[in-house]
Amino acid sequence: MYLRIRDLREDRDLTQGKLGELLGVSQATYSRYESGKLDVPTDILLRLADFYGVTVDDLLGRGEKEGRK
């Protein structure tokens, strides 16, 4: 479900544990975000978008390829 946040993390050679630490959540919680087993809270989405320099829409996969311009 949240493949984009995994891809962004991996592109920056970050572990789930390190990113969880930066966000104030456990590695297990962050892993559940990436797998879609747990919805990412709005405040975490905003922090991820700021951290990666992207929009929340980009994190959620709502880019141009889905008809947005």
Side-chain angles (χ1 to χ4, degrees), residues 12-46:
R12 286 160 181 79
D13 295 322
L14 295 168
T15 64
Q16 289 179 341
K18 182 62 178 175
L19 200 50
E21 188 178 308
L22 292 170
L23 296 170
V25 300
S26 70
Q27 179 275 328
T29 296
Y30 187 81
S31 175
R32 289 183 188 106
Y33 294 157
E34 284 191 4
S35 68
K37 293 179 181 176
L38 186 62
D39 283 334
V40 182
T42 302
D43 64 312
I44 298 290
L45 282 174
L46 292 170

Side-chain angles (χ1 to χ4, degrees), residues 41-60:
T42 302
D43 64 312
I44 298 290
L45 282 174
L46 292 170
R47 291 171 65 193
L48 284 169
D50 289 344
F51 179 78
Y52 290 125
V54 299
T55 65
V56 172
D57 277 351
D58 187 39
L59 289 178
L60 298 175

